[in-house]
Amino acid sequence: MPNPLRTLGYRVLNASLEDGRHGEEKVSPISRRGFMLLAASLSSCSAAAPLGDRATSPVKTPANANYRTPALSGPLPRNPDMAFSSDFSKSSGISFSRVLVSGNYIAMTFDDGPHPQNTPRLLDMLRARNVKATFFVIGRSVDLYPQVVRRTVAEGHEIGNHSHTHRLLSKLGDSELRLEMSRCADAVHRAAGVRIRTMRPPYGGLLQRQRELVHSEFGYPTILWSVDPLDWKRPGPGVVTSRILSGTTAGAIVLAHDLHAQTVDAMPATIDGLLRRGFKFVTVSQLLAMKTEPAAATAQITAPPPAY
Ligand code: NI
């Protein structure tokens, strides 16, 4: 019988999830105010430049207390139970923005958490629909909110490495890059007892040479995205939903940010819409493990072939 953790995208460890090596007594390396300042500085994963005008317009990070899950007509759509392997081949690639698969599988990804209110609210929404997602977490926030990461893992989601302090990694030397990776990985291991297997660079910024370094030294493929709703600009939940629904195709990797209340507000309609269109949600590692050759995936391609 396969170890359930392997189907989620983790390296299996001797450490048990029940070993209780973290808890409320843990001393946080930065204060709550420090976290909010950090959160305010994280306006985007997807923009090439991390600073500029956005540095002067802080992002509101608290959960939206007025939000109510919209009433659904008909039964709540539910993702099927799927225990696919997550053992992808290291030779299958160094960078991915989508994956060629045979079937309507997609990976929903959430960056920049954990957040003490918005992430648990999102986890409730995912659990109600049996949807498994991948969370690219910031190590510094993991140290602040280990219990949120622990719950995320316990509920079947995958954790990915989004660096320790969310710096633009392409500006760093190799030793700093290694520290950003290892400190985040260690924080997740301390919090939830698992080894993460994929990474996403903040702002999508990672040089090819650096991608090869993290692949060879940490085993991480670099995970980018094929659908970007620009949710960090806070266009409103309806816009986030419509952008994701219109952009998602089989094999898609969808980018969103659980740091932002509006993004989480958009998720019930987004996820229900994707489920009703026949998409099935898997973790990033499961999607990578499904990678197929173009010939096997042609049945999924409905557009006419290019004229050359
Ligand atoms: Ni980010």
Side-chain angles (χ1 to χ4, degrees), residues 69-80 104 106 129 131 241 245 248 267-281:
T69 301
L72 276 168
S73 58
L76 193 68
R78 186 176 165 82
N79 201 44
N104 289 322
I106 58 173
R129 294 160 177 81
V131 165
T241 295
L245 291 183
T248 301
M267 283 304 117
T270 302
I271 293 167
D272 294 345
L274 291 168
L275 285 169
R276 288 186 169 125
R277 283 163 168 75
F279 290 110
K280 290 175 271 193
F281 292 82

Side-chain angles (χ1 to χ4, degrees), residues 23-306:
E24 298 303 324
E25 76 285 1
K26 183 173 174 54
V27 177
S28 297
I30 61 174
S31 66
R32 177 176 176 78
R33 174 174 155 74
F35 170 78
M36 298 312 268
L37 289 171
L38 168 68
S41 72
L42 300 176
S43 52
S44 167
C45 287
S46 54
L51 298 174
D53 61 338
R54 276 180 279 113
T56 58
S57 53
V59 174
K60 287 181 185 172
T61 57
N64 177 5
N66 296 321
Y67 176 76
R68 298 290 179 272
T69 301
L72 276 168
S73 58
L76 193 68
R78 186 176 165 82
N79 201 44
D81 288 319
M82 296 178 291
F84 294 120
S85 168
S86 61
D87 286 335
F88 57 86
S89 166
K90 197 174 175 185
S91 64
S92 64
I94 292 176
S95 299
F96 295 89
S97 55
R98 64 184 294 266
V99 181
L100 203 52
V101 294
S102 181
N104 289 322
Y105 299 103
I106 58 173
M108 193 77 214
T109 65
F110 296 98
D111 290 9
D112 296 352
H115 183 279
Q117 286 90 40
N118 290 325
T119 306
R121 204 159 57 90
L122 174 61
L123 290 174
D124 290 343
M125 296 170 179
L126 297 175
R127 184 167 59 182
R129 294 160 177 81
N130 195 38
V131 165
K132 307 306 177 192
T134 303
F135 291 77
F136 288 96
V137 297
I138 298 169
R140 194 155 65 172
S141 301
V142 173
D143 280 337
L144 269 182
Y145 304 109
Q147 70 280 8
V148 178
V149 179
R150 193 175 173 85
R151 178 185 164 191
T152 305
V153 169
E155 296 190 358
H157 306 289
E158 180 174 350
I159 305 292
N161 193 322
H162 198 46
S163 82
H164 194 68
T165 63
H166 207 269
R167 297 164 73 189
L168 182 58
L169 302 178
S170 57
K171 300 286 189 193
L172 301 187
D174 288 352
S175 60
E176 285 181 297
L177 171 62
R178 290 185 182 99
L179 263 182
E180 285 286 338
M181 293 292 101
S182 63
R183 292 181 73 195
C184 178
D186 291 347
V188 169
H189 187 205
R190 279 195 302 274
V194 294
R195 292 281 185 208
I196 55 188
R197 301 180 64 206
T198 64
M199 72 86 68
R200 170 173 287 156
Y203 319 104
L206 199 64
L207 306 174
Q208 180 61 26
R209 189 185 62 75
Q210 294 176 306
R211 295 182 193 192
E212 291 166 6
L213 184 152
V214 298
H215 188 251
S216 66
E217 295 190 14
F218 293 86
Y220 297 150
T222 296
I223 307 300
L224 300 171
W225 54 86
S226 60
V227 182
D228 182 359
L230 300 174
D231 57 310
W232 56 271
K233 291 187 178 178
R234 291 177 287 153
V239 173
V240 172
T241 295
S242 65
R243 286 174 177 168
I244 292 176
L245 291 183
S246 64
T248 301
T249 55
I253 298 172
V254 182
L255 171 67
H257 299 81
D258 55 322
L259 186 70
H260 302 308
Q262 267 197 6
T263 302
V264 177
D265 294 350
M267 283 304 117
T270 302
I271 293 167
D272 294 345
L274 291 168
L275 285 169
R276 288 186 169 125
R277 283 163 168 75
F279 290 110
K280 290 175 271 193
F281 292 82
V282 294
T283 70
V284 162
S285 285
Q286 286 176 320
L287 194 70
L288 294 179
M290 290 177 182
K291 184 183 176 212
T292 187
E293 298 306 313
T298 48
Q300 300 299 318
I301 299 171
T302 55

